[in-house]
Amino acid sequence: MSEPLLEVEDLTIQYEAGDEWLTAASDASFTIRSGEYFGLVGESGCGKSTIAKSIIGGLDENGEIASGTIKYKGQEVQDLSLSELNDVVGWDEIAYIPQSSMNSIDPLERIKDQAIEIAKAHTDYSDQEALARFKEMFEIVGIPESRISDYPHQFSGGMQQRAIIALALFLEPSLIVADEPTTALDVIMQDQIFKYYDRVREELNTSMLLITHDISVVFESCDRMAVMHGGQIAETGTVTDVYEDPRHPYSMMLQEAFPDIRHPNRRLENIEGKPPQTFGDIDYCTFSDRCPYAIEDCERGAPPLELANGARDQTEIAHQAACIRKHELDELARESENPATFQEESDD
Ligand SMILES: Nc1ncnc2c1ncn2[C@@H]1O[C@H](COP(=O)(O)OP(=O)(O)O)[C@@H](O)[C@H]1O
Ligand code: SF4
Ligand SMILES: [Mg+2]
Protein backbone atom coordinates (compact mmCIF):
# COMPACT_ATOMS: atom_id res chain seq x y z
CA MET A 1 0.00 0.00 0.00
CA SER A 2 1.32 3.48 -0.83
CA GLU A 3 2.57 5.93 1.80
CA PRO A 4 0.32 8.55 3.40
CA LEU A 5 0.82 11.84 1.59
CA LEU A 6 -1.55 14.05 3.54
CA GLU A 7 -2.72 13.23 7.07
CA VAL A 8 -5.37 15.41 8.68
CA GLU A 9 -5.82 14.51 12.31
CA ASP A 10 -8.42 15.82 14.77
CA LEU A 11 -8.45 19.17 13.02
CA THR A 12 -10.59 21.90 14.59
CA ILE A 13 -10.81 25.26 12.84
CA GLN A 14 -12.65 28.30 14.12
CA TYR A 15 -13.49 31.75 12.78
CA GLU A 16 -13.68 34.76 15.01
CA ALA A 17 -17.15 36.25 14.58
CA GLY A 18 -17.72 39.22 16.91
CA ASP A 19 -17.33 37.96 20.48
CA GLU A 20 -17.75 34.35 19.45
CA TRP A 21 -15.87 31.63 17.59
CA LEU A 22 -17.67 29.80 14.83
CA THR A 23 -16.44 26.22 14.57
CA ALA A 24 -16.18 25.38 10.86
CA ALA A 25 -14.35 22.06 11.29
CA SER A 26 -14.38 19.90 14.39
CA ASP A 27 -12.02 16.99 15.07
CA ALA A 28 -11.81 16.24 11.37
CA SER A 29 -9.56 13.34 10.38
CA PHE A 30 -8.74 11.73 7.04
CA THR A 31 -5.69 10.46 5.17
CA ILE A 32 -4.81 10.71 1.49
CA ARG A 33 -2.25 8.25 0.21
CA SER A 34 0.17 8.79 -2.61
CA GLY A 35 -1.49 8.43 -6.01
CA GLU A 36 -4.97 8.47 -4.53
CA TYR A 37 -7.93 10.62 -5.54
CA PHE A 38 -9.85 11.58 -2.42
CA GLY A 39 -13.24 13.28 -2.46
CA LEU A 40 -14.48 15.59 0.29
CA VAL A 41 -18.21 16.03 -0.10
CA GLY A 42 -21.03 17.82 1.69
CA GLU A 43 -23.47 20.67 1.26
CA SER A 44 -22.50 24.30 1.12
CA GLY A 45 -21.36 25.62 4.50
CA CYS A 46 -20.21 22.29 5.94
CA GLY A 47 -16.53 23.28 6.12
CA LYS A 48 -14.96 21.89 2.94
CA SER A 49 -13.25 25.06 1.73
CA THR A 50 -12.08 25.81 5.26
CA ILE A 51 -10.24 22.50 5.34
CA ALA A 52 -8.77 23.10 1.86
CA LYS A 53 -7.51 26.52 2.85
CA SER A 54 -5.99 25.22 6.08
CA ILE A 55 -3.97 22.64 4.13
CA ILE A 56 -2.30 25.27 1.98
CA GLY A 57 -1.81 27.74 4.86
CA GLY A 58 -4.40 30.10 3.41
CA LEU A 59 -7.15 30.43 6.04
CA ASP A 60 -8.99 33.74 6.07
CA GLU A 61 -7.52 36.24 8.52
CA ASN A 62 -10.15 35.66 11.19
CA GLY A 63 -9.70 31.89 10.99
CA GLU A 64 -7.39 29.76 13.10
CA ILE A 65 -6.53 26.14 13.69
CA ALA A 66 -7.66 25.60 17.28
CA SER A 67 -6.26 22.07 17.52
CA GLY A 68 -5.12 19.07 15.51
CA THR A 69 -2.42 18.46 12.94
CA ILE A 70 -1.95 18.43 9.18
CA LYS A 71 1.01 16.40 7.97
CA TYR A 72 2.33 16.52 4.44
CA LYS A 73 4.81 13.72 3.69
CA GLY A 74 5.15 13.17 7.43
CA GLN A 75 5.95 16.79 8.22
CA GLU A 76 3.60 18.96 10.29
CA VAL A 77 2.47 21.93 8.21
CA GLN A 78 -0.55 23.24 10.10
CA ASP A 79 1.32 26.26 11.49
CA LEU A 80 2.89 27.29 8.19
CA SER A 81 1.76 30.23 6.12
CA LEU A 82 1.53 29.80 2.37
CA SER A 83 5.02 31.22 1.78
CA GLU A 84 6.52 29.07 4.55
CA LEU A 85 4.78 26.07 3.08
CA ASN A 86 6.32 26.89 -0.28
CA ASP A 87 9.76 26.98 1.31
CA VAL A 88 9.23 23.73 3.17
CA VAL A 89 7.37 21.55 0.71
CA GLY A 90 8.07 23.42 -2.53
CA TRP A 91 5.64 25.41 -4.63
CA ASP A 92 5.14 22.69 -7.16
CA GLU A 93 4.30 20.00 -4.57
CA ILE A 94 0.75 21.17 -3.86
CA ALA A 95 -1.39 22.90 -6.46
CA TYR A 96 -4.46 24.67 -5.17
CA ILE A 97 -7.45 25.44 -7.33
CA PRO A 98 -9.60 27.69 -5.15
CA GLN A 99 -13.37 27.65 -5.23
CA SER A 100 -13.70 31.15 -6.65
CA SER A 101 -10.72 30.49 -8.86
CA MET A 102 -11.66 33.23 -11.29
CA ASN A 103 -9.89 35.51 -8.83
CA SER A 104 -6.68 33.52 -8.96
CA ILE A 105 -5.76 34.60 -12.48
CA ASP A 106 -5.18 38.14 -13.59
CA PRO A 107 -7.92 38.98 -16.11
CA LEU A 108 -5.73 41.65 -17.69
CA GLU A 109 -2.58 39.61 -18.33
CA ARG A 110 -2.38 37.30 -21.32
CA ILE A 111 -2.80 33.72 -20.17
CA LYS A 112 0.41 32.61 -21.91
CA ASP A 113 2.38 35.30 -20.06
CA GLN A 114 1.00 34.04 -16.75
CA ALA A 115 2.14 30.53 -17.65
CA ILE A 116 5.61 31.76 -18.60
CA GLU A 117 5.88 33.63 -15.30
CA ILE A 118 5.02 30.51 -13.33
CA ALA A 119 7.54 28.50 -15.33
CA LYS A 120 10.27 31.13 -14.81
CA ALA A 121 9.72 31.18 -11.07
CA HIS A 122 9.63 27.44 -10.57
CA THR A 123 11.29 25.57 -13.44
CA ASP A 124 14.26 25.68 -15.80
CA TYR A 125 12.02 25.75 -18.87
CA SER A 126 12.88 28.29 -21.52
CA ASP A 127 9.96 30.50 -22.58
CA GLN A 128 9.64 28.34 -25.69
CA GLU A 129 9.50 25.11 -23.70
CA ALA A 130 7.04 26.60 -21.23
CA LEU A 131 4.77 27.69 -24.06
CA ALA A 132 4.92 24.32 -25.78
CA ARG A 133 4.00 22.62 -22.53
CA PHE A 134 1.24 25.05 -21.76
CA LYS A 135 -0.24 24.51 -25.23
CA GLU A 136 -0.42 20.78 -24.46
CA MET A 137 -2.29 21.53 -21.23
CA PHE A 138 -4.62 23.87 -23.08
CA GLU A 139 -5.46 21.21 -25.59
CA ILE A 140 -6.10 18.69 -22.84
CA VAL A 141 -8.58 20.97 -21.04
CA GLY A 142 -10.31 21.63 -24.35
CA ILE A 143 -9.32 25.19 -25.21
CA PRO A 144 -8.06 25.82 -28.75
CA GLU A 145 -4.35 26.49 -28.84
CA SER A 146 -5.05 29.63 -30.83
CA ARG A 147 -6.48 31.27 -27.69
CA ILE A 148 -3.25 31.08 -25.76
CA SER A 149 -2.56 34.77 -26.42
CA ASP A 150 -5.98 35.84 -25.11
CA TYR A 151 -6.65 37.70 -21.92
CA PRO A 152 -8.65 35.68 -19.35
CA HIS A 153 -11.44 38.27 -19.43
CA GLN A 154 -12.05 37.22 -23.03
CA PHE A 155 -12.84 33.67 -21.89
CA SER A 156 -16.22 32.36 -20.84
CA GLY A 157 -16.54 31.25 -17.19
CA GLY A 158 -16.04 27.59 -18.10
CA MET A 159 -12.96 28.39 -20.17
CA GLN A 160 -11.44 30.44 -17.36
CA GLN A 161 -11.93 27.50 -15.06
CA ARG A 162 -10.20 25.21 -17.53
CA ALA A 163 -7.34 27.66 -18.02
CA ILE A 164 -6.85 27.68 -14.25
CA ILE A 165 -6.74 23.89 -14.21
CA ALA A 166 -4.14 24.00 -17.00
CA LEU A 167 -2.03 26.43 -14.96
CA ALA A 168 -2.35 24.30 -11.82
CA LEU A 169 -1.27 21.14 -13.61
CA PHE A 170 1.57 22.84 -15.42
CA LEU A 171 4.20 21.95 -12.83
CA GLU A 172 3.07 18.37 -12.24
CA PRO A 173 2.22 18.70 -8.56
CA SER A 174 2.17 15.71 -6.16
CA LEU A 175 -1.13 16.86 -4.67
CA ILE A 176 -3.86 18.85 -6.33
CA VAL A 177 -6.32 20.48 -3.93
CA ALA A 178 -9.26 21.32 -6.16
CA ASP A 179 -12.21 23.13 -4.59
CA GLU A 180 -15.33 22.63 -6.75
CA PRO A 181 -13.15 22.63 -9.90
CA THR A 182 -15.85 21.62 -12.33
CA THR A 183 -18.97 23.03 -10.73
CA ALA A 184 -19.29 25.79 -13.32
CA LEU A 185 -18.89 23.37 -16.21
CA ASP A 186 -21.40 21.28 -18.10
CA VAL A 187 -21.43 17.51 -17.67
CA ILE A 188 -19.56 16.81 -20.91
CA MET A 189 -16.77 19.20 -20.00
CA GLN A 190 -16.62 17.78 -16.45
CA ASP A 191 -16.12 14.35 -17.97
CA GLN A 192 -13.33 15.56 -20.22
CA ILE A 193 -11.52 17.18 -17.35
CA PHE A 194 -11.75 14.11 -15.15
CA LYS A 195 -10.43 12.01 -18.01
CA TYR A 196 -7.43 14.27 -18.06
CA TYR A 197 -7.07 14.06 -14.29
CA ASP A 198 -7.02 10.28 -14.71
CA ARG A 199 -4.20 10.57 -17.22
CA VAL A 200 -2.25 12.80 -14.85
CA ARG A 201 -2.63 10.20 -12.13
CA GLU A 202 -1.51 7.35 -14.33
CA GLU A 203 1.51 9.16 -15.67
CA LEU A 204 2.64 11.11 -12.62
CA ASN A 205 1.16 9.32 -9.61
CA THR A 206 -0.50 12.59 -8.63
CA SER A 207 -2.94 12.66 -5.72
CA MET A 208 -6.00 14.83 -5.52
CA LEU A 209 -8.21 16.24 -2.83
CA LEU A 210 -11.39 16.88 -4.79
CA ILE A 211 -13.92 19.04 -3.01
CA THR A 212 -17.47 19.06 -4.25
CA HIS A 213 -21.09 19.17 -3.12
CA ASP A 214 -21.96 16.47 -5.68
CA ILE A 215 -21.50 12.95 -4.31
CA SER A 216 -21.95 11.41 -7.78
CA VAL A 217 -18.82 13.23 -9.01
CA VAL A 218 -16.87 11.67 -6.13
CA PHE A 219 -18.25 8.20 -6.83
CA GLU A 220 -17.19 8.52 -10.45
CA SER A 221 -13.76 9.97 -10.04
CA CYS A 222 -12.26 9.16 -6.62
CA ASP A 223 -10.76 6.16 -4.81
CA ARG A 224 -11.64 7.16 -1.28
CA MET A 225 -13.76 9.86 0.27
CA ALA A 226 -15.06 11.67 3.32
CA VAL A 227 -18.58 12.96 3.80
CA MET A 228 -18.80 16.14 5.86
CA HIS A 229 -21.72 17.72 7.70
CA GLY A 230 -21.79 20.77 9.97
CA GLY A 231 -17.99 20.74 10.44
CA GLN A 232 -17.85 17.04 11.29
CA ILE A 233 -16.60 14.17 9.16
CA ALA A 234 -19.67 11.94 9.06
CA GLU A 235 -18.13 9.02 7.22
CA THR A 236 -14.92 8.08 5.45
CA GLY A 237 -13.80 5.05 3.48
CA THR A 238 -13.33 3.80 -0.04
CA VAL A 239 -15.83 5.03 -2.58
CA THR A 240 -17.14 1.45 -2.77
CA ASP A 241 -17.63 1.35 1.04
CA VAL A 242 -19.71 4.51 1.06
CA TYR A 243 -21.57 3.72 -2.17
CA GLU A 244 -22.52 0.17 -1.31
CA ASP A 245 -22.67 0.20 2.45
CA PRO A 246 -23.19 3.75 3.77
CA ARG A 247 -23.00 3.84 7.57
CA HIS A 248 -24.22 7.39 8.18
CA PRO A 249 -27.76 8.60 7.45
CA TYR A 250 -26.39 11.74 5.81
CA SER A 251 -24.36 9.69 3.30
CA MET A 252 -27.50 7.71 2.52
CA MET A 253 -29.54 10.86 1.99
CA LEU A 254 -26.84 12.55 -0.12
CA GLN A 255 -26.84 9.53 -2.41
CA GLU A 256 -30.55 9.95 -2.92
CA ALA A 257 -30.15 13.63 -3.69
CA PHE A 258 -27.89 13.08 -6.72
CA PRO A 259 -28.25 11.06 -9.93
CA ASP A 260 -27.17 7.43 -9.71
CA ILE A 261 -26.58 5.13 -12.66
CA ARG A 262 -28.00 2.27 -10.60
CA HIS A 263 -31.38 4.05 -10.44
CA PRO A 264 -31.63 6.30 -13.52
CA ASN A 265 -35.36 6.93 -13.12
CA ARG A 266 -35.38 7.60 -9.41
CA ARG A 267 -36.78 10.89 -8.15
CA LEU A 268 -34.04 12.96 -6.54
CA GLU A 269 -34.77 13.65 -2.89
CA ASN A 270 -34.32 16.98 -1.19
CA ILE A 271 -32.58 17.02 2.16
CA GLU A 272 -34.70 19.32 4.28
CA GLY A 273 -32.98 22.06 6.27
CA LYS A 274 -29.30 22.95 6.16
CA PRO A 275 -26.17 22.19 8.19
CA PRO A 276 -26.10 24.19 11.44
CA GLN A 277 -23.50 26.76 12.37
CA THR A 278 -22.08 26.04 15.81
CA PHE A 279 -20.33 28.59 18.01
CA GLY A 280 -17.83 27.12 20.47
CA ASP A 281 -17.20 23.40 20.82
CA ILE A 282 -19.24 21.00 18.71
CA ASP A 283 -20.35 18.46 21.29
CA TYR A 284 -23.32 16.86 19.53
CA CYS A 285 -24.08 15.23 16.20
CA THR A 286 -24.60 18.17 13.84
CA PHE A 287 -26.97 16.04 11.76
CA SER A 288 -29.37 15.49 14.66
CA ASP A 289 -31.84 18.20 13.59
CA ARG A 290 -32.24 16.63 10.17
CA CYS A 291 -31.73 12.96 10.93
CA PRO A 292 -34.77 10.65 10.76
CA TYR A 293 -33.14 8.31 13.28
CA ALA A 294 -32.02 10.86 15.88
CA ILE A 295 -32.46 9.92 19.54
CA GLU A 296 -31.60 11.83 22.68
CA ASP A 297 -28.11 10.35 22.91
CA CYS A 298 -27.20 11.95 19.58
CA GLU A 299 -27.05 15.31 21.32
CA ARG A 300 -24.98 14.05 24.22
CA GLY A 301 -21.49 14.42 22.79
CA ALA A 302 -20.04 14.36 19.28
CA PRO A 303 -20.20 10.83 17.87
CA PRO A 304 -16.60 9.68 17.26
CA LEU A 305 -15.46 8.36 13.89
CA GLU A 306 -15.34 4.63 14.50
CA LEU A 307 -14.87 1.51 12.44
CA ALA A 308 -17.95 0.87 10.39
CA ASN A 309 -17.33 -2.70 9.37
CA GLY A 310 -16.15 -4.53 12.46
CA ALA A 311 -12.59 -5.80 12.39
CA ARG A 312 -12.12 -6.12 8.63
CA ASP A 313 -9.81 -3.15 8.18
CA GLN A 314 -8.27 -1.34 11.14
CA THR A 315 -5.83 0.93 9.32
CA GLU A 316 -6.17 4.70 9.27
CA ILE A 317 -7.93 4.36 5.93
CA ALA A 318 -10.59 1.97 7.22
CA HIS A 319 -14.28 2.55 6.59
CA GLN A 320 -15.40 4.70 9.53
CA ALA A 321 -18.59 6.49 10.47
CA ALA A 322 -19.54 9.00 13.15
CA CYS A 323 -23.03 7.81 14.00
CA ILE A 324 -24.03 6.12 17.22
CA ARG A 325 -26.60 4.06 15.31
CA LYS A 326 -24.33 3.04 12.42
CA HIS A 327 -24.87 -0.68 13.00
CA GLU A 328 -28.67 -0.36 13.13
CA LEU A 329 -29.13 1.63 9.93
CA ASP A 330 -30.30 -1.17 7.66
CA GLU A 331 -32.98 -2.12 10.12
CA LEU A 332 -33.99 1.50 10.68
CA ALA A 333 -34.20 2.11 6.93
CA ARG A 334 -36.40 -0.97 6.45
CA GLU A 335 -38.60 0.12 9.30
CA SER A 336 -39.10 3.62 7.89
CA GLU A 337 -39.76 2.30 4.36
CA ASN A 338 -42.43 -0.05 5.56
CA PRO A 339 -43.51 0.78 9.11
CA ALA A 340 -46.60 -1.52 9.11
CA THR A 341 -44.72 -4.68 8.11
CA PHE A 342 -41.99 -3.91 10.53
CA GLN A 343 -44.49 -3.40 13.32
CA GLU A 344 -46.04 -6.81 12.58
CA GLU A 345 -42.67 -8.49 12.49
CA SER A 346 -41.54 -6.96 15.74
CA ASP A 347 -44.84 -7.82 17.44
CA ASP A 348 -44.28 -11.53 16.82
N1 LIG B 1 -13.92 34.07 7.03
C1 LIG B 1 -14.98 33.56 7.64
N2 LIG B 1 -15.49 34.13 8.75
C2 LIG B 1 -16.56 33.61 9.41
N3 LIG B 1 -17.19 32.49 9.02
C3 LIG B 1 -16.72 31.86 7.91
C4 LIG B 1 -15.60 32.36 7.17
N4 LIG B 1 -15.37 31.51 6.13
C5 LIG B 1 -16.31 30.54 6.22
N5 LIG B 1 -17.11 30.74 7.29
C6 LIG B 1 -18.20 29.87 7.77
O1 LIG B 1 -17.63 28.60 8.04
C7 LIG B 1 -18.52 27.56 7.65
C8 LIG B 1 -17.83 26.66 6.65
O2 LIG B 1 -17.62 27.40 5.47
P1 LIG B 1 -16.87 26.78 4.20
O3 LIG B 1 -15.63 26.13 4.65
O4 LIG B 1 -16.76 27.85 3.17
O5 LIG B 1 -17.90 25.66 3.73
P2 LIG B 1 -18.08 24.92 2.33
O6 LIG B 1 -16.83 25.10 1.54
O7 LIG B 1 -18.35 23.51 2.69
O8 LIG B 1 -19.25 25.57 1.67
C9 LIG B 1 -19.77 28.25 7.14
O9 LIG B 1 -20.67 28.34 8.21
C10 LIG B 1 -19.27 29.62 6.72
O10 LIG B 1 -20.29 30.58 6.81
S1 SF4 C 1 -25.62 10.05 15.63
FE1 SF4 C 1 -27.84 10.14 15.76
S2 SF4 C 1 -28.44 12.08 14.78
FE2 SF4 C 1 -26.33 11.62 14.21
S3 SF4 C 1 -26.53 10.57 12.29
FE3 SF4 C 1 -26.46 8.98 13.86
S4 SF4 C 1 -28.60 8.56 14.39
FE4 SF4 C 1 -28.55 10.47 13.25
MG1 LIG D 1 -16.66 25.91 -0.34
Side-chain angles (χ1 to χ4, degrees):
M1 200 180 288
S2 59
E3 289 296 304
L5 183 70
L6 182 81
E7 297 163 273
V8 171
E9 243 174 77
D10 300 326
L11 189 65
T12 297
I13 302 171
Q14 296 184 312
Y15 291 109
E16 192 170 17
D19 307 339
E20 296 184 291
W21 287 87
L22 173 75
T23 304
S26 177
D27 277 331
S29 299
F30 59 88
T31 298
I32 304 180
R33 289 178 170 258
S34 208
E36 206 166 56
Y37 276 20
F38 188 95
L40 183 60
V41 66
E43 290 153 292
S44 177
C46 70
K48 305 180 299 295
S49 297
T50 297
I51 288 191
K53 289 180 200 165
S54 71
I55 292 167
I56 53 112
L59 276 178
D60 297 352
E61 276 198 350
N62 62 332
E64 71 169 44
I65 295 180
S67 57
T69 56
I70 303 171
K71 286 187 198 151
Y72 183 77
K73 293 190 172 168
Q75 188 161 0
E76 289 195 16
V77 297
Q78 70 276 2
D79 298 325
L80 305 184
S81 67
L82 189 52
S83 62
E84 288 165 337
L85 189 76
N86 289 342
D87 289 342
V88 173
V89 305
W91 193 87
D92 46 358
E93 279 279 331
I94 305 179
Y96 174 50
I97 304 178
Q99 181 165 0
S100 41
S101 44
M102 307 308 179
N103 306 332
S104 72
I105 46 174
D106 183 345
L108 301 175
E109 188 184 0
R110 288 180 204 280
I111 193 77
K112 69 171 186 186
D113 292 338
Q114 300 190 45
I116 288 172
E117 258 171 41
I118 292 176
K120 273 217 170 81
H122 305 283
T123 72
D124 300 330
Y125 293 148
S126 67
D127 289 4
Q128 239 55 35
E129 284 166 335
L131 267 188
R133 191 161 165 69
F134 193 57
K135 278 182 188 162
E136 276 172 40
M137 298 289 160
F138 241 48
E139 191 199 321
I140 283 158
V141 297
I143 309 179
E145 198 189 296
S146 58
R147 307 220 38 189
I148 201 162
S149 299
D150 285 5
Y151 295 93
H153 75 84
Q154 296 174 290
F155 291 164
S156 67
M159 277 167 82
Q160 284 191 16
Q161 191 80 14
R162 284 179 274 150
I164 288 159
I165 294 170
L167 283 173
L169 293 174
F170 195 36
L171 300 176
E172 302 179 0
S174 300
L175 176 68
I176 304 165
V177 177
D179 196 348
E180 308 270 7
T182 59
T183 300
L185 308 179
D186 63 42
V187 179
I188 295 167
M189 195 48 71
Q190 287 194 14
D191 252 20
Q192 262 189 27
I193 286 180
F194 282 113
K195 276 200 191 97
Y196 176 58
Y197 277 139
D198 280 346
R199 257 173 66 190
V200 174
R201 168 163 53 174
E202 273 162 29
E203 286 171 25
L204 309 169
N205 203 34
T206 305
S207 307
M208 176 150 78
L209 173 58
L210 171 68
I211 291 173
T212 172
H213 62 281
D214 183 341
I215 199 166
S216 55
V217 166
V218 172
F219 286 150
E220 275 168 40
S221 46
C222 295
D223 307 299
R224 290 193 314 108
M225 64 189 292
V227 177
M228 219 180 155
H229 185 273
Q232 295 171 321
I233 302 284
E235 180 162 6
T236 179
T238 66
V239 162
T240 313
D241 286 336
V242 181
Y243 185 67
E244 290 181 355
D245 187 26
R247 289 290 118 199
H248 194 288
Y250 183 54
S251 313
M252 293 171 153
M253 290 165 84
L254 265 189
Q255 289 201 33
E256 291 181 0
F258 287 92
D260 182 344
I261 44 169
R262 290 176 302 185
H263 311 287
N265 300 320
R266 193 187 57 198
R267 197 168 64 96
L268 298 184
E269 298 294 334
N270 238 341
I271 308 178
E272 296 288 323
K274 53 180 188 173
Q277 285 192 318
T278 310
F279 294 90
D281 291 344
I282 299 187
D283 56 3
Y284 66 110
C285 174
T286 56
F287 196 54
S288 53
D289 267 357
R290 315 170 79 189
C291 179
Y293 312 131
I295 52 177
E296 264 178 37
D297 279 351
C298 303
E299 307 224 14
R300 294 201 188 111
L305 256 187
E306 287 173 336
L307 290 180
N309 61 0
R312 202 149 49 101
D313 177 358
Q314 303 231 352
T315 65
E316 78 283 7
I317 62 161
H319 184 193
Q320 298 168 73
C323 169
I324 60 172
R325 308 192 78 184
K326 55 186 170 297
H327 298 302
E328 297 168 63
L329 292 181
D330 294 336
E331 202 178 329
L332 290 167
R334 266 201 309 277
E335 182 183 358
S336 60
E337 257 170 35
N338 198 346
T341 321
F342 190 83
Q343 190 60 42
E344 274 166 31
E345 280 171 4
S346 49
D347 284 348
D348 285 344

